[in-house]
Amino acid sequence: MNRAFVETLESADAGRGAVEALPVPQSYRAAVLLEEEQEMFAGVPMADRQPGKALHLREVATPEPGPGEALIAVMASAINYNTVWSALFAPVPTFQFLKRYARTGGLAARHDLPYHVLGSDLSGVVLRTGPGVRLWKPGDRVVAHCLSVELEEPEGHDDTMLDPQQRIWGYETNFGGLGELALVKANQLMPKAAHLTWEEAAAPGLVNSTAYRQLVSQHGAVMRQGDNVLIWGAAGGLGSYATQYVLNGGGTPICVVSNEQKAEICRAMGASAVIDRSVEQYRFWADEQTPDPREWRRLGERIRELTGGDDPDIVFEHPGRETFGASVYVARRGGVVVTCASTSGFRHEYDNRYLWMHLKRIVGSHFANYREAWLANRLVTRARIHPTLSAAYPLDRVRQAVDEVHGNQHHGKVGVLCLADEGGGVSDPETRARHENAINRFRA
Ligand code: NDP
């Protein structure tokens, strides 16, 4: 994209006319996987796969927005763990999702391409809207949540996450956010927080909405004031928002992290109960097949030391196999383990006696419906939840960004600058000045 194009998008007073006058480029640069490479890691153990190797920057054709869709000029995006999974081609190559989507017909057929533009977060400017879009117009500064639904069937009309055609944009659909342009459904759009830079604004989306549903929403753990919440990976993507929700909601987070720097970030957020799992050296598995309940108990004792004797009302789960048995064990009688992932393996093992005899519940949670994503974003626009960006890389260093997240070398979120330069996009400096410390807390 040329500089004048980006400058027009950047200028705070670029109205609808100025943006509509911009020509739509016929192609754009994007981070893609290639279908011809989907077997590149075949036979390579997961531990030896390097996701960055699968990513390429390519010039791809610009899709035309259809009815109810919008074409976005992407100023910034963020790395989510689903992009790591995509680039590992695990558990399945995402080209399978694109083909399945395409088989539903109509506009979905466009998504089946020999390349997959990844990315499930963006901040940017609406460039064009398709027929029938009324709420959004060219020039609007937006973020996009990643829920793609069709809502043609009845199942999703109470809770859009239950739509049989529910997909995660940029993971199970094409034209995602890690490019200079992106195609979204207009009902993915939400206002960008005026006090944040483009890269800060792009950071919360996916993980913030997920943490909101998982902890706060009626569909998740319905956290109450006073609850003790054990948060795995409390300074990571999901956990850095979960910690904020617990603190905002009058609960006590018990933050688990793996080094002192992350422990310090949690304390700076306001958490006083922090467990450094690398110091404690928990070994929840005696060997690959045998969980070690003594180690679950040791974690439980440490939690009680920190809470004055209480067990967690809620356990915020996502590491999966490695921790799940411990999570079920340490939850209080009647407590909830709410899970949205299995980073360390999806075949979990836990002792069911601790679940049924102590009337605990396991709740599955996945992303968020539009309303939940909107409420989570509203907290960001009101500066009640802050982005947890630690670094932002230009698009041509996207491989490094993905490898860092895969290697757990990051804190909070890693951003990607697509069209924007770092630091741009703030149109409410007064609000920003009031929250500068919190906004920059995760900066390396
Ligand atoms: P991050 O890598 O940013 O954070 C995860 C954190 O988990 C790390 O910081 C690490 O913290 C901790 N962790 C990793 N492995 C282990 C382990 N074996 N035992 C204990 N802690 C561990 O990722 P995200 O938070 O963005 O995502 C986490 C998972 O959730 C991913 O699998 C992702 O795909 C999934 N996810 C699912 C969503 C959904 O809608 N279903 C939405 C978003 C994410 P530390 O080392 O400090 O302990």
Side-chain angles (χ1 to χ4, degrees):
M1 302 293 155
N2 67 42
R3 202 58 231 161
F5 182 92
V6 178
E7 275 167 13
T8 303
L9 297 170
E10 281 270 18
S11 86
D13 52 4
R16 177 178 187 158
V19 175
E20 272 177 339
L22 289 172
V24 175
Q26 295 201 324
S27 65
Y28 66 102
R29 266 183 350 138
V32 300
L33 297 179
L34 300 176
E35 188 176 15
E36 69 203 35
E37 291 185 354
Q38 61 181 329
E39 298 298 331
M40 67 186 280
F41 293 132
V44 180
M46 280 294 278
D48 298 336
R49 297 185 187 186
Q50 207 179 330
K53 283 190 177 156
L55 281 168
H56 303 275
L57 269 192
R58 288 285 159 95
E59 196 74 18
V60 299
T62 303
E64 173 133 353
E69 293 180 340
L71 186 68
I72 312 297
V74 182
M75 305 307 279
S77 184
I79 302 299
N80 284 294
Y81 216 92
N82 65 3
T83 289
V84 174
W85 294 124
S86 301
L88 290 170
F89 299 108
V92 290
T94 47
F95 290 97
Q96 292 184 20
F97 301 142
L98 303 184
K99 288 191 192 311
R100 199 176 305 154
Y101 187 29
R103 281 200 293 275
T104 65
L107 289 175
R110 293 170 305 168
H111 290 252
D112 182 13
L113 293 166
Y115 56 84
H116 187 182
V117 182
L118 303 176
S120 301
D121 269 318
L122 68 73
S123 67
V125 179
V126 177
L127 193 56
R128 293 290 187 275
T129 54
V133 176
R134 291 177 299 106
L135 288 183
W136 303 97
K137 56 185 189 321
D140 286 344
R141 294 174 151 216
V142 292
V143 291
H145 70 71
C146 63
L147 172 62
S148 168
V149 281
E150 310 299 322
L151 288 180
E152 290 190 279
E153 293 157 87
E155 286 87 343
H157 282 258
D158 255 359
D159 173 10
T160 46
M161 281 305 293
L162 299 184
D163 184 35
Q165 298 301 328
Q166 178 271 321
R167 291 181 172 80
I168 298 296
W169 161 72
Y171 177 62
E172 293 163 296
T173 77
N174 217 324
F175 315 119
L178 286 168
E180 294 171 329
L181 300 178
L183 186 73
V184 298
K185 291 184 192 291
N187 61 17
Q188 287 176 244
L189 296 175
M190 308 187 291
K192 170 193 169 287
H195 64 287
L196 298 180
T197 64
W198 295 112
E199 62 277 16
E200 289 160 357
L206 184 148
V207 283
N208 182 37
S209 312
T210 306
Y212 182 91
R213 182 179 173 109
Q214 211 173 334
L215 271 184
V216 180
S217 157
Q218 56 174 331
H219 298 116
V222 202
M223 198 203 99
R224 296 161 310 173
Q225 295 182 35
D227 277 353
N228 291 307
V229 184
L230 181 73
I231 303 172
W232 291 105
L238 284 168
S240 58
Y241 294 88
T243 302
Q244 295 185 63
Y245 280 114
V246 176
L247 290 165
N248 280 2
T252 302
I254 302 138
C255 295
V256 186
V257 293
S258 62
N259 63 43
E260 180 50 31
Q261 208 180 345
K262 289 183 183 180
E264 201 40 58
I265 292 174
C266 291
R267 287 186 205 107
M269 276 195 283
S272 51
V274 183
I275 298 175
D276 183 338
R277 66 184 173 101
S278 66
V279 171
E280 303 286 346
Q281 295 275 315
Y282 295 114
R283 294 273 176 271
F284 298 131
W285 290 83
D287 60 49
E288 288 226 336
Q289 311 303 329
T290 323
D292 186 349
R294 285 172 308 180
E295 286 293 276
W296 302 346
R297 211 164 299 129
R298 194 158 71 83
L299 172 67
E301 282 161 8
R302 181 81 189 99
I303 293 168
R304 285 181 181 175
E305 272 170 33
L306 291 167
T307 60
D310 288 339
D311 297 327
D313 299 277
I314 300 169
V315 181
F316 185 83
E317 243 297 333
H318 51 88
R321 182 170 174 82
E322 185 80 25
T323 55
F324 202 83
S327 294
V328 170
Y329 178 83
V330 300
R332 77 156 169 84
R333 187 179 275 267
V336 179
V337 177
V338 62
T339 175
C340 75
S342 290
T343 314
S344 64
F346 52 81
R347 290 194 193 282
H348 299 179
E349 201 164 310
Y350 64 90
D351 187 331
N352 202 34
R353 291 170 296 180
Y354 295 114
L355 191 84
W356 101 71
M357 292 296 284
H358 294 168
L359 302 106
K360 306 180 188 186
R361 287 182 299 131
I362 295 171
V363 174
S365 191
H366 185 39
F367 188 58
N369 64 32
Y370 190 6
R371 180 74 180 148
E372 289 159 344
W374 183 278
L375 293 174
N377 184 61
R378 191 174 69 171
L379 288 162
V380 176
T381 62
R382 292 180 178 178
R384 304 290 293 273
I385 289 285
H386 300 291
T388 60
L389 189 75
S390 55
Y393 290 94
L395 186 57
D396 52 20
R397 287 175 65 195
V398 68
R399 288 178 154 200
Q400 187 181 348
V402 169
D403 283 340
E404 277 188 18
V405 173
H406 177 236
N408 195 17
Q409 292 153 2
H410 65 301
H411 303 152
K413 295 294 298 176
V414 175
V416 175
L417 296 155
C418 297
L419 289 171
D421 291 329
E422 194 154 5
V426 177
S427 53
D428 177 1
E430 292 80 19
T431 301
R432 183 181 184 78
R434 284 202 301 279
H435 299 281
E436 198 92 45
N437 281 346
I439 293 168
N440 288 320
R441 192 160 280 143
F442 278 71
R443 283 287 183 171

